[in-house]
Amino acid sequence: MSRGKTAAWRALESVDMSKTVSSVVSATTAALRRAGIPEPQLSVEHLMAETLAGSDGSRNRVGTLALAHDRALTDTETAAFDSMITKRLDRMPIQMILGSWDFHNITLKVQPGILCPRPETELLVDLALTGLSSHASPRVVDVGAGTGAIGLAILNEHQHATCDAIDIDPAAVTLSLSNASSLGVADRYSCRADGIGPFARWHSASRSPPYDMLVSNPPYIPDAVRGTLSPEVERYEAGTALFAGHDGLVVLREIIDSLDTLVTPSAPVLLEVDCSHADRVVELLSHRRPRQAVRIECDLDGRPRFAVAM
Protein backbone atom coordinates (compact mmCIF):
# COMPACT_ATOMS: atom_id res chain seq x y z
CA MET A 1 0.00 0.00 0.00
CA SER A 2 2.88 2.33 -0.75
CA ARG A 3 2.03 5.83 -2.03
CA GLY A 4 3.60 9.24 -2.44
CA LYS A 5 4.98 10.72 0.74
CA THR A 6 2.02 12.85 1.77
CA ALA A 7 1.06 12.63 5.43
CA ALA A 8 -2.04 10.62 4.58
CA TRP A 9 -0.21 8.05 2.50
CA ARG A 10 2.65 7.75 4.98
CA ALA A 11 0.08 6.67 7.54
CA LEU A 12 -0.69 3.58 5.45
CA GLU A 13 2.83 2.37 4.85
CA SER A 14 2.74 0.13 7.93
CA VAL A 15 -0.36 -1.78 6.76
CA ASP A 16 0.57 -5.33 5.75
CA MET A 17 -2.12 -6.45 3.33
CA SER A 18 -0.96 -10.07 3.51
CA LYS A 19 -2.21 -10.48 7.07
CA THR A 20 -5.67 -11.69 8.08
CA VAL A 21 -8.76 -9.58 7.44
CA SER A 22 -8.99 -8.78 11.14
CA SER A 23 -5.37 -7.57 11.23
CA VAL A 24 -5.78 -5.50 8.06
CA VAL A 25 -8.91 -3.87 9.48
CA SER A 26 -7.14 -2.99 12.73
CA ALA A 27 -4.00 -1.67 11.03
CA THR A 28 -5.91 0.32 8.42
CA THR A 29 -8.16 1.82 11.08
CA ALA A 30 -5.10 2.97 13.01
CA ALA A 31 -3.58 4.38 9.82
CA LEU A 32 -6.71 6.34 8.92
CA ARG A 33 -6.89 7.66 12.47
CA ARG A 34 -3.30 8.92 12.19
CA ALA A 35 -4.19 10.54 8.88
CA GLY A 36 -7.05 12.44 10.50
CA ILE A 37 -9.88 10.69 8.65
CA PRO A 38 -13.20 11.01 10.52
CA GLU A 39 -14.78 7.83 11.90
CA PRO A 40 -11.84 5.65 10.80
CA GLN A 41 -13.13 2.36 12.21
CA LEU A 42 -16.58 2.78 10.66
CA SER A 43 -14.96 3.69 7.35
CA VAL A 44 -12.69 0.67 7.28
CA GLU A 45 -15.36 -1.78 8.40
CA HIS A 46 -17.80 -0.61 5.74
CA LEU A 47 -15.16 -0.77 3.01
CA MET A 48 -13.82 -4.15 4.05
CA ALA A 49 -17.35 -5.57 4.28
CA GLU A 50 -18.06 -4.26 0.78
CA THR A 51 -14.80 -5.79 -0.48
CA LEU A 52 -15.69 -9.21 0.91
CA ALA A 53 -19.34 -9.08 -0.14
CA GLY A 54 -18.37 -8.08 -3.66
CA SER A 55 -15.82 -10.86 -4.01
CA ASP A 56 -18.31 -13.61 -3.13
CA GLY A 57 -20.97 -12.22 -5.43
CA SER A 58 -23.57 -11.89 -2.68
CA ARG A 59 -23.57 -8.09 -2.39
CA ASN A 60 -24.65 -8.73 1.19
CA ARG A 61 -22.41 -6.75 3.54
CA VAL A 62 -24.06 -8.01 6.71
CA GLY A 63 -21.90 -10.49 8.63
CA THR A 64 -19.12 -10.68 6.06
CA LEU A 65 -16.47 -9.28 8.38
CA ALA A 66 -17.20 -11.76 11.17
CA LEU A 67 -17.19 -14.71 8.78
CA ALA A 68 -13.88 -13.79 7.17
CA HIS A 69 -11.92 -12.28 10.05
CA ASP A 70 -9.26 -15.03 10.21
CA ARG A 71 -8.46 -15.43 6.52
CA ALA A 72 -6.24 -13.41 4.24
CA LEU A 73 -7.45 -11.22 1.38
CA THR A 74 -7.11 -12.52 -2.15
CA ASP A 75 -5.22 -10.43 -4.70
CA THR A 76 -8.51 -9.26 -6.19
CA GLU A 77 -9.86 -8.29 -2.78
CA THR A 78 -6.63 -6.50 -1.91
CA ALA A 79 -6.85 -4.40 -5.07
CA ALA A 80 -10.51 -3.57 -4.42
CA PHE A 81 -9.92 -2.63 -0.79
CA ASP A 82 -6.85 -0.60 -1.69
CA SER A 83 -8.85 1.35 -4.28
CA MET A 84 -11.63 2.18 -1.82
CA ILE A 85 -9.22 3.19 0.95
CA THR A 86 -7.48 5.46 -1.57
CA LYS A 87 -10.79 7.24 -2.16
CA ARG A 88 -11.44 7.53 1.57
CA LEU A 89 -8.02 9.11 2.07
CA ASP A 90 -9.09 11.66 -0.53
CA ARG A 91 -12.07 12.29 1.79
CA MET A 92 -14.72 10.84 -0.50
CA PRO A 93 -17.75 10.01 1.67
CA ILE A 94 -18.30 6.36 2.48
CA GLN A 95 -21.73 6.48 0.83
CA MET A 96 -20.24 7.55 -2.48
CA ILE A 97 -17.45 5.00 -2.36
CA LEU A 98 -19.95 2.22 -1.78
CA GLY A 99 -22.35 3.61 -4.36
CA SER A 100 -25.40 2.98 -2.19
CA TRP A 101 -26.68 3.78 1.28
CA ASP A 102 -29.58 2.83 3.53
CA PHE A 103 -32.10 5.51 4.41
CA HIS A 104 -35.36 4.99 6.31
CA ASN A 105 -35.91 1.35 5.32
CA ILE A 106 -34.84 1.79 1.69
CA THR A 107 -31.49 1.51 -0.09
CA LEU A 108 -30.56 4.33 -2.45
CA LYS A 109 -27.92 4.61 -5.13
CA VAL A 110 -25.67 7.61 -4.46
CA GLN A 111 -23.01 9.34 -6.51
CA PRO A 112 -20.53 12.24 -6.28
CA GLY A 113 -22.01 15.67 -6.88
CA ILE A 114 -25.40 14.82 -5.36
CA LEU A 115 -26.28 15.32 -1.71
CA CYS A 116 -25.89 12.15 0.38
CA PRO A 117 -28.92 11.20 2.50
CA ARG A 118 -28.36 12.28 6.12
CA PRO A 119 -29.58 10.41 9.21
CA GLU A 120 -31.33 13.52 10.54
CA THR A 121 -33.41 13.77 7.38
CA GLU A 122 -35.02 10.46 8.33
CA LEU A 123 -36.75 12.47 11.08
CA LEU A 124 -38.24 14.69 8.38
CA VAL A 125 -39.69 11.58 6.74
CA ASP A 126 -41.17 10.50 10.08
CA LEU A 127 -42.79 13.91 10.52
CA ALA A 128 -44.17 13.73 6.98
CA LEU A 129 -45.66 10.28 7.55
CA THR A 130 -47.36 11.55 10.69
CA GLY A 131 -48.81 14.43 8.70
CA LEU A 132 -50.13 12.05 6.05
CA SER A 133 -51.63 9.52 8.44
CA SER A 134 -55.20 10.67 7.78
CA HIS A 135 -54.80 10.86 3.98
CA ALA A 136 -55.86 7.82 1.97
CA SER A 137 -54.14 8.78 -1.30
CA PRO A 138 -52.04 11.89 -0.71
CA ARG A 139 -50.18 13.82 -3.39
CA VAL A 140 -46.79 15.04 -2.16
CA VAL A 141 -44.38 17.51 -3.72
CA ASP A 142 -40.67 17.22 -2.81
CA VAL A 143 -38.53 20.27 -3.53
CA GLY A 144 -34.84 19.42 -4.02
CA ALA A 145 -35.02 15.70 -4.68
CA GLY A 146 -31.32 14.81 -4.70
CA THR A 147 -31.24 11.02 -4.59
CA GLY A 148 -35.01 11.00 -4.13
CA ALA A 149 -34.55 9.98 -0.50
CA ILE A 150 -37.44 11.85 1.11
CA GLY A 151 -40.12 11.24 -1.48
CA LEU A 152 -39.17 7.60 -2.04
CA ALA A 153 -39.06 6.86 1.68
CA ILE A 154 -42.57 8.30 2.01
CA LEU A 155 -43.82 6.17 -0.88
CA ASN A 156 -42.20 3.10 0.63
CA GLU A 157 -44.22 3.56 3.82
CA HIS A 158 -47.46 4.94 2.36
CA GLN A 159 -48.56 2.54 -0.33
CA HIS A 160 -51.20 4.86 -1.82
CA ALA A 161 -49.21 8.10 -1.86
CA THR A 162 -47.75 9.70 -4.99
CA CYS A 163 -44.85 12.14 -5.17
CA ASP A 164 -43.83 14.75 -7.72
CA ALA A 165 -40.29 15.96 -7.12
CA ILE A 166 -38.09 18.67 -8.61
CA ASP A 167 -34.37 19.38 -8.62
CA ILE A 168 -32.36 21.94 -10.55
CA ASP A 169 -29.64 19.35 -11.25
CA PRO A 170 -30.46 17.03 -14.19
CA ALA A 171 -28.09 14.42 -12.74
CA ALA A 172 -30.14 14.35 -9.54
CA VAL A 173 -33.33 13.95 -11.57
CA THR A 174 -31.82 10.96 -13.38
CA LEU A 175 -30.57 9.40 -10.14
CA SER A 176 -33.85 9.84 -8.27
CA LEU A 177 -35.82 8.29 -11.13
CA SER A 178 -33.38 5.38 -11.22
CA ASN A 179 -33.85 4.88 -7.48
CA ALA A 180 -37.62 4.99 -7.90
CA SER A 181 -37.39 2.26 -10.54
CA SER A 182 -35.13 0.10 -8.37
CA LEU A 183 -37.55 0.42 -5.46
CA GLY A 184 -40.56 -0.48 -7.59
CA VAL A 185 -42.39 2.83 -7.13
CA ALA A 186 -41.73 4.46 -10.50
CA ASP A 187 -45.46 4.46 -11.24
CA ARG A 188 -46.04 6.71 -8.21
CA TYR A 189 -42.98 8.98 -8.50
CA SER A 190 -41.95 11.69 -10.94
CA CYS A 191 -39.05 14.12 -10.94
CA ARG A 192 -38.34 17.02 -13.28
CA ALA A 193 -35.43 19.42 -13.67
CA ASP A 194 -36.82 22.70 -12.42
CA GLY A 195 -36.50 25.37 -9.78
CA ILE A 196 -39.29 26.11 -7.33
CA GLY A 197 -40.37 29.38 -8.97
CA PRO A 198 -40.67 28.04 -12.53
CA PHE A 199 -42.30 24.86 -11.24
CA ALA A 200 -44.92 26.83 -9.30
CA ARG A 201 -45.71 28.92 -12.38
CA TRP A 202 -45.99 25.80 -14.53
CA HIS A 203 -48.20 24.15 -11.94
CA SER A 204 -50.52 27.14 -11.88
CA ALA A 205 -50.66 27.46 -15.67
CA SER A 206 -51.38 23.76 -16.08
CA ARG A 207 -54.32 24.01 -13.65
CA SER A 208 -53.00 20.99 -11.79
CA PRO A 209 -54.71 20.26 -8.45
CA PRO A 210 -52.88 21.42 -5.33
CA TYR A 211 -50.74 19.00 -3.38
CA ASP A 212 -51.61 17.55 0.02
CA MET A 213 -48.10 18.11 1.40
CA LEU A 214 -44.87 19.92 0.59
CA VAL A 215 -41.65 18.53 1.97
CA SER A 216 -38.15 19.79 1.31
CA ASN A 217 -34.52 19.52 2.33
CA PRO A 218 -33.42 22.52 0.26
CA PRO A 219 -30.11 24.36 0.12
CA TYR A 220 -30.05 26.29 3.40
CA ILE A 221 -26.43 26.87 4.47
CA PRO A 222 -25.36 30.55 4.64
CA ASP A 223 -22.67 31.50 2.14
CA ALA A 224 -20.40 32.68 4.97
CA VAL A 225 -19.89 29.04 5.98
CA ARG A 226 -18.50 28.14 2.57
CA GLY A 227 -14.94 26.88 2.91
CA THR A 228 -15.39 25.74 6.52
CA LEU A 229 -17.28 22.50 5.95
CA SER A 230 -15.60 19.10 5.85
CA PRO A 231 -13.83 18.00 2.65
CA GLU A 232 -16.37 15.19 2.38
CA VAL A 233 -19.05 17.83 1.86
CA GLU A 234 -17.28 20.60 -0.02
CA ARG A 235 -15.34 18.39 -2.45
CA TYR A 236 -18.01 15.87 -3.31
CA GLU A 237 -21.44 17.51 -2.95
CA ALA A 238 -22.69 20.26 -5.24
CA GLY A 239 -22.61 23.75 -3.77
CA THR A 240 -25.99 24.43 -5.35
CA ALA A 241 -27.46 21.74 -3.08
CA LEU A 242 -25.86 23.27 0.02
CA PHE A 243 -25.58 27.06 -0.03
CA ALA A 244 -28.40 29.59 -0.34
CA GLY A 245 -27.25 33.19 -0.06
CA HIS A 246 -25.84 35.26 2.77
CA ASP A 247 -28.51 34.12 5.25
CA GLY A 248 -29.21 30.67 3.76
CA LEU A 249 -32.81 31.64 3.09
CA VAL A 250 -32.93 32.27 -0.67
CA VAL A 251 -34.52 28.94 -1.61
CA LEU A 252 -36.60 28.67 1.57
CA ARG A 253 -38.17 32.08 0.82
CA GLU A 254 -39.00 30.94 -2.72
CA ILE A 255 -40.61 27.77 -1.38
CA ILE A 256 -42.69 29.64 1.20
CA ASP A 257 -43.75 32.23 -1.38
CA SER A 258 -44.95 29.40 -3.65
CA LEU A 259 -47.09 27.59 -1.08
CA ASP A 260 -50.38 29.25 -2.02
CA THR A 261 -49.91 28.04 -5.58
CA LEU A 262 -48.70 24.52 -4.85
CA VAL A 263 -50.57 23.15 -1.84
CA THR A 264 -54.01 23.16 -0.26
CA PRO A 265 -54.62 25.62 2.61
CA SER A 266 -54.47 22.82 5.16
CA ALA A 267 -51.58 20.87 3.62
CA PRO A 268 -48.68 20.12 5.98
CA VAL A 269 -45.42 21.87 5.07
CA LEU A 270 -42.14 20.40 6.31
CA LEU A 271 -38.82 22.14 5.71
CA GLU A 272 -35.31 21.22 6.80
CA VAL A 273 -33.48 24.39 7.89
CA ASP A 274 -30.24 25.64 9.39
CA CYS A 275 -30.23 26.19 13.14
CA SER A 276 -28.97 29.75 12.59
CA HIS A 277 -32.19 30.85 10.90
CA ALA A 278 -34.82 28.43 12.21
CA ASP A 279 -36.72 31.17 14.07
CA ARG A 280 -36.77 33.35 10.97
CA VAL A 281 -38.21 30.48 8.90
CA VAL A 282 -40.95 30.06 11.50
CA GLU A 283 -41.80 33.76 11.12
CA LEU A 284 -41.97 33.52 7.34
CA LEU A 285 -43.98 30.32 7.42
CA SER A 286 -46.40 31.64 10.06
CA HIS A 287 -47.08 34.73 7.95
CA ARG A 288 -47.82 32.62 4.87
CA ARG A 289 -49.78 29.89 6.75
CA PRO A 290 -51.70 31.81 9.46
CA ARG A 291 -54.30 29.07 9.93
CA GLN A 292 -51.75 26.41 10.75
CA ALA A 293 -49.69 25.77 13.86
CA VAL A 294 -46.05 26.34 12.99
CA ARG A 295 -43.31 24.84 15.13
CA ILE A 296 -39.66 23.86 15.18
CA GLU A 297 -38.55 20.25 15.59
CA CYS A 298 -35.00 19.35 16.62
CA ASP A 299 -32.57 16.90 15.04
CA LEU A 300 -30.76 13.98 16.62
CA ASP A 301 -28.33 16.36 18.38
CA GLY A 302 -31.08 18.58 19.77
CA ARG A 303 -30.50 21.41 17.29
CA PRO A 304 -33.42 23.29 15.67
CA ARG A 305 -33.63 21.57 12.27
CA PHE A 306 -37.18 21.36 10.90
CA ALA A 307 -39.86 23.99 10.41
CA VAL A 308 -43.27 22.31 10.39
CA ALA A 309 -46.67 23.79 9.56
CA MET A 310 -49.64 21.49 10.19
Side-chain angles (χ1 to χ4, degrees):
M1 247 178 159
S2 177
R3 297 289 189 277
K5 299 297 184 178
T6 64
W9 298 124
R10 281 198 300 270
L12 288 173
E13 289 183 337
S14 61
V15 177
D16 184 351
M17 296 292 282
S18 68
K19 299 290 187 180
T20 64
V21 166
S22 179
S23 296
V24 172
V25 167
S26 296
T28 308
T29 297
L32 263 62
R33 184 175 290 112
R34 291 193 297 272
I37 304 300
E39 299 182 314
Q41 182 172 346
L42 185 66
S43 295
V44 173
E45 288 179 350
H46 272 297
L47 298 180
M48 181 60 81
E50 174 69 6
T51 297
L52 299 172
S55 68
D56 67 16
S58 70
R59 310 307 302 164
N60 180 9
R61 299 171 191 147
V62 179
T64 53
L65 274 178
L67 291 173
H69 73 282
D70 60 350
R71 72 166 176 86
L73 294 171
T74 67
D75 290 344
T76 299
E77 290 169 341
T78 297
F81 183 67
D82 184 76
S83 174
M84 288 190 284
I85 289 296
T86 297
K87 293 175 182 177
R88 189 68 191 104
L89 279 169
D90 285 334
R91 303 298 291 268
M92 182 180 284
I94 289 292
Q95 299 96 318
M96 292 179 184
I97 299 173
L98 297 175
S100 65
W101 200 248
D102 293 338
F103 176 86
H104 204 283
N105 301 321
I106 59 176
T107 300
L108 298 161
K109 289 173 281 191
V110 298
Q111 66 187 50
I114 298 174
L115 197 71
C116 287
R118 305 309 205 252
E120 58 266 24
T121 305
E122 295 191 31
L123 299 177
L124 187 63
V125 174
D126 290 334
L127 291 167
L129 291 170
T130 298
L132 294 174
S133 60
S134 62
H135 289 264
S137 302
R139 299 174 63 251
V140 178
V141 59
D142 176 13
V143 179
T147 61
I150 297 172
L152 296 175
I154 291 172
L155 298 190
N156 183 64
E157 299 292 337
H158 198 309
Q159 301 302 311
H160 300 290
T162 61
C163 179
D164 293 335
I166 61 171
D167 200 293
I168 62 171
D169 183 358
V173 173
T174 299
L175 180 60
S176 66
L177 291 173
S178 177
N179 278 324
S181 179
S182 297
L183 293 166
V185 297
D187 59 330
R188 296 188 288 130
Y189 183 85
S190 72
C191 189
R192 57 185 284 160
D194 219 341
I196 181 62
F199 177 73
R201 290 190 290 273
W202 170 85
H203 185 269
S204 177
S206 68
R207 299 182 182 272
S208 299
Y211 292 97
D212 301 305
M213 171 178 283
L214 183 144
V215 63
S216 181
N217 177 15
Y220 59 68
I221 301 176
D223 285 346
V225 181
R226 193 186 297 267
T228 68
L229 302 179
S230 72
E232 284 84 354
V233 173
E234 298 226 15
R235 290 182 193 172
Y236 294 99
E237 295 184 326
T240 53
L242 299 168
F243 303 104
H246 73 282
D247 56 3
L249 291 172
V250 169
V251 179
L252 283 162
R253 285 193 183 95
E254 290 179 348
I255 292 172
I256 293 169
D257 288 345
S258 300
L259 290 175
D260 293 346
T261 300
L262 289 175
V263 298
T264 66
S266 61
V269 177
L270 303 100
L271 306 171
E272 188 161 332
V273 303
D274 190 75
C275 58
S276 68
H277 59 221
D279 290 342
R280 179 57 178 152
V281 175
V282 168
E283 291 177 9
L284 295 170
L285 198 51
S286 297
H287 178 74
R288 182 63 64 176
R289 311 288 284 181
R291 298 181 182 179
Q292 291 181 300
V294 180
R295 69 183 190 275
I296 285 292
E297 294 281 348
C298 293
D299 63 16
L300 298 169
D301 295 318
R303 295 171 297 194
R305 183 60 65 196
F306 310 107
V308 179
M310 286 191 186

